[in-house]
Structure formats: C-alpha cells, structure tokens
Amino acid sequence: MELHPVTGWTILCDFDGTISVEDVIDSLLDRFGRPGWETLEQDWRAGRIGSRECMTGQVSLLDMTQEELDKHLSSLWIDHHFPEFVAMARAANTPIRVVSDGLDYAIRRILGRYGLDDLPLAANHLAPATPPQKWQLTSPFQAEGCRSGTCKCAVAAQASKGGTKTLLIGDGASDFCAADRVDFVFAKHRLIEHCRAAGIPYVPITGFEDALELLPRLLDGSLLAEHAPATPALAVAS
Ligand SMILES: [Mg+2]
Ligand SMILES: [Zn+2]
C-alpha cells in the first residue's frame, strides 16, 4: 500500500459564523434564554469578563428540553460549500479540525446532517444538568491565564508544533489570538481587519466557495509566496 505524502498543512476552522451561518449560542439565547443573559453579554463585550465566564452563565440560563434543543439545531444551516471543502482537504491529505468557542453537542449535531460529525473538534462541552430543562457548560480546552472557553491560541500553538504549517479559517474576535500564531489565514468579517492591522498573511473570503478556490493555491505554495511579508534578504538567499 502506497502512502500519500502529507501536504505539510493543518487546517483549523472556526464554527460559528464561519461554518455555520448563525451563531448557535446567540440563537439559543434569543429563543430559550431566561432573563440575565443580556447582562452577561454586556459584561463580556465591555471586557469585564471572559467568554468562558460569559457562556457558562448564559448556558445555565437556558430553559429548554432536549427535544426543543434538537429541533432548534435542525433549523440552523451551514455554508453550502463547506462539505465540498472538507472533501477537498481530505483528498489532499490535509487534516482539518474544528476549533470553536461554541458548543460541542450543537456542532456535532449540525455537522451530522452532512455526514461530517467525525471531524476532529475542540469546543466547550454542553451537558444536561438537573433539574430537567437545565444545562451546563464545561471547557475542556481552556488554558491557564486565558479567559476563553476554548483557548484557540493554545490549540494553534500546539498544531504548529507538529512541524506542519497551519491555516486558520475564521471570522471573529475568538479567532484573533490564534491568527497571530498560524502561517496563513482565510479571514471573514472582523478577522479581516485584525489580520490586515497585525500584518498577518491572509486572504479575505466571503465563504467556502472562495476557500475552495484558494486551497489548491495554498497547498502548492503559491499563495504564501504572494502574501509573505516582504523579506528581500531571505528571498534572495532562497
Ligand atoms: Mg466565529
Ligand atoms: Zn487563549
């Protein structure tokens, strides 16, 4: 049996707003949140608390049955081109991992509709609590000194340790610190301006239709060559 060579890239992909069209937790709070979740949201936006404290509190304010949760999740959509993008990455032997500060159960459930619930996932853990209709959040991918639920910078740092280059695909504030630690970014929305201001090599995308076109150019090295920061001395030496 012949082994295909690895491409030398690992892909880390955000979920809410990147793979999914809507933010899952926001949509659940709108529908099932008991009073108090808005205050937590304001505290988080003002930087008074981190996302882990914010979401742990918000999830404890969700009032919904398992059936209501599943029914709601079945109404949420993903980017139509994401399954094709995963197939392309897999065909190119490029590992892809979902790294999310959202809810593991919701992500698996939504991706399961597309046969993609086997994608490796780092996210917060949603579990039923007692009494019934109550829920609790734990954060198995938190890191010391970081206020996020899932510390994406730690995940990104770990991914690059393996000796491969790392691509991040994301859209928002939860992706900022990971963007600083990867080799290239496909950026949506607020992440575009962050990458531009920080001098991170990136291409702006509107969705996975763009990512499908860009991935072959990332894997053959041409994208990185075009967007690498100007380092004339190194360019001559190589
Ligand atoms: Mg996002
Ligand atoms: Zn962190």
Side-chain angles (χ1 to χ4, degrees):
M1 192 177 81
E2 193 186 341
L3 283 174
H4 294 281
V6 292
T7 58
W9 284 87
T10 296
I11 301 171
L12 303 179
C13 191
D14 172 53
F15 187 80
D16 291 275
T18 301
I19 298 173
S20 73
V21 178
E22 262 183 282
D23 185 286
V24 173
I25 295 183
D26 287 353
S27 74
L28 287 171
L29 289 167
D30 273 340
R31 191 138 167 211
F32 303 112
R34 281 183 279 124
W37 69 265
E38 297 96 335
T39 312
L40 288 162
E41 192 78 8
Q42 285 156 12
D43 285 349
W44 171 70
R45 285 190 192 282
R48 289 187 287 271
I49 59 174
S51 72
R52 184 170 69 241
E53 185 177 344
C54 176
M55 287 186 298
T56 303
Q58 289 180 328
V59 162
S60 73
L61 292 170
L62 286 173
D63 184 359
M64 61 188 179
T65 64
Q66 179 79 51
E67 201 182 358
E68 285 171 325
L69 169 62
D70 289 347
K71 190 166 178 231
H72 179 78
L73 295 176
S74 71
S75 73
L76 300 180
W77 296 96
I78 67 167
D79 184 310
H80 291 309
H81 295 277
F82 181 67
E84 202 182 333
F85 181 82
V86 174
M88 182 187 269
R90 285 178 164 169
N93 262 316
T94 302
I96 175 165
R97 183 179 195 193
V98 178
V99 183
S100 166
D101 209 2
L103 309 174
D104 59 354
Y105 177 80
I107 294 169
R108 287 226 171 79
R109 184 98 189 165
I110 293 168
L111 290 180
R113 302 210 306 267
Y114 305 86
L116 296 175
D117 43 339
D118 59 338
L119 276 176
L121 171 66
N124 300 292
H125 180 54
L126 178 70
T130 46
Q133 306 213 174
K134 289 212 68 178
W135 298 83
Q136 68 179 11
L137 187 82
T138 51
S139 299
F141 296 93
Q142 63 179 283
E144 189 155 354
C146 175
R147 301 193 302 169
S148 299
T150 295
C151 180
K152 296 191 184 189
C153 27
V155 173
Q158 194 194 18
S160 62
K161 263 193 206 157
T164 61
K165 288 192 165 59
T166 309
L167 168 73
L168 173 72
I169 308 176
D171 76 312
S174 81
D175 303 306
F176 288 0
C177 81
D180 300 339
R181 288 167 174 75
V182 298
D183 299 282
F184 205 83
V185 180
F186 292 174
K188 273 178 88 171
H189 298 149
R190 292 175 62 202
L191 188 56
I192 296 173
E193 175 55 21
H194 174 80
C195 290
R196 197 200 58 74
I200 297 163
Y202 78 101
V203 174
I205 62 167
T206 54
F208 282 95
E209 189 169 14
D210 298 337
L212 274 171
E213 261 177 51
L214 292 164
L215 186 61
R217 293 172 52 210
L218 180 86
L219 299 181
D220 73 17
S222 55
L223 210 52
L224 200 54
E226 280 167 38
H227 292 268
T231 48
L234 280 174
V236 170
S238 65

